[in-house]
Amino acid sequence: GAGVSQSPSNKVTEKGKDVELRCDPISGHTALYWYRQSLGQGLEFLIYFQGNSAPDKSGLPSDRFSAERTGGSVSTLTIQRTQQEDSAVYLCASSLEAGAGANVLTFGAGSRLTVL
Amino acid sequence: DAKTTQPNSMESNEEEPVHLPCNHSTISGTDYIHWYRQLPSQGPEYVIHGLTSNVNNRMASLAIAEDRKSSTLILHRATLRDAAVYYCILTRPGKSTFGDGTTLTVKP
């Protein structure tokens, strides 16, 4: 597609439920990133994928968080047993490659998660 | 991760130039300097990037200090639509780490 697409745009869930957030990167972009942005805060790195390499999961806050990228394209971020502190906007970005410092990130509009 | 330091907030008058500073004293030789901005309720968008030389594009200019330990994003004529959070980040192969950015307020 023309841009990075994220779904759902808004998700309200009850504490303890599992949620899945989806990201469709720009076609041809080999690198994909997930960030979390709590209200009024900056972006917190979660995970990034580069081609077929093992993902960098160093930013995932707990083992309740996991992400997959199938076929080098679509990615799903899964949060199990959601907690109220998981409420945030989850942003996905893609770039041509993560192997160059000049690579430019294109962000989606984000998925706003509210845990009641 | 290499760290950047930006003022929390700045104000500007409409149609005046704005200079947004960023300090990155621990920058390494291969780090690129990128600027993004985030409008309300949107994801960040790319503004400009550079390595050593000053850069210009249709959105802004980037002035990089000779020692590369600081840089300045220049908006030549601020408009109300430029009100946003501006992030200065250093990128290297791998993840790009964002700080809290500078909230720019543009007054009519």
Side-chain angles (χ1 to χ4, degrees), chain A residues 35 37 48 58 98 101 103 105, chain B residues 34 36 38 87 91 93-96:
Chain A
Y35 292 86
Q37 187 171 37
Y48 95 85
S58 60
N103 85 99
L105 274 62
Chain B
H34 284 235
Y36 289 80
Q38 187 172 23
Y87 296 99
T91 65
K95 66 189 180 189
S96 296

Side-chain angles (χ1 to χ4, degrees), chain A residues 71-92:
Chain A
S73 181
V74 172
S75 177
T76 301
L77 178 68
T78 301
I79 309 173
Q80 295 179 308
R81 304 180 304 280
T82 52
Q83 305 294 311
Q84 288 183 330
E85 60 263 29
D86 299 334
S87 296
V89 176
Y90 290 82
L91 290 158
C92 175

Side-chain angles (χ1 to χ4, degrees), chain A residues 33 35 37 41-43 45 48 56 58 91 98-109 112, chain B residues 30-32 34 36 38 41-46 49 87 91-100:
Chain A
Y33 306 74
Y35 292 86
Q37 187 171 37
Q41 303 297 310
L43 278 70
F45 167 80
Y48 95 85
D56 178 347
S58 60
L91 290 158
N103 85 99
V104 173
L105 274 62
T106 302
F107 282 84
R112 180 177 299 277
Chain B
T30 56
D31 286 340
Y32 280 78
H34 284 235
Y36 289 80
Q38 187 172 23
S41 302
Q42 296 187 25
E45 65 174 348
Y46 166 78
H49 77 278
Y87 296 99
T91 65
R92 57 183 60 167
K95 66 189 180 189
S96 296
T97 302
F98 286 73
D100 290 333

Side-chain angles (χ1 to χ4, degrees), chain A:
Chain A
V4 177
S5 178
Q6 292 188 245
S7 60
S9 55
N10 278 288
K11 175 72 175 179
V12 179
T13 191
E14 293 180 348
K15 178 181 172 181
K17 301 285 190 182
D18 298 351
V19 297
E20 287 189 349
L21 307 176
R22 176 187 168 102
C23 174
D24 279 283
I26 292 174
S27 178
H29 279 194
T30 63
L32 186 147
Y33 306 74
W34 283 98
Y35 292 86
R36 178 170 71 174
Q37 187 171 37
S38 300
L39 187 63
Q41 303 297 310
L43 278 70
E44 174 189 6
F45 167 80
L46 296 178
I47 185 171
Y48 95 85
F49 299 86
Q50 169 59 53
N52 295 320
S53 301
D56 178 347
K57 304 180 181 180
S58 60
L60 294 179
S62 77
D63 58 8
R64 296 187 295 104
F65 288 72
S66 62
E68 290 185 341
R69 188 177 186 192
T70 55
S73 181
V74 172
S75 177
T76 301
L77 178 68
T78 301
I79 309 173
Q80 295 179 308
R81 304 180 304 280
T82 52
Q83 305 294 311
Q84 288 183 330
E85 60 263 29
D86 299 334
S87 296
V89 176
Y90 290 82
L91 290 158
C92 175
S94 70
S95 68
L96 279 173
E97 62 169 318
N103 85 99
V104 173
L105 274 62
T106 302
F107 282 84
S111 293
R112 180 177 299 277
L113 174 66
T114 303
V115 182
L116 301 178

Side-chain angles (χ1 to χ4, degrees), chain B residues 65-82:
Chain B
E66 195 168 334
D67 63 5
R68 301 211 322 128
K69 293 186 177 182
S70 65
S71 62
T72 303
L73 178 71
I74 303 165
L75 307 179
H76 296 287
R77 288 184 64 198
T79 70
L80 297 179
R81 289 175 296 177
D82 291 323

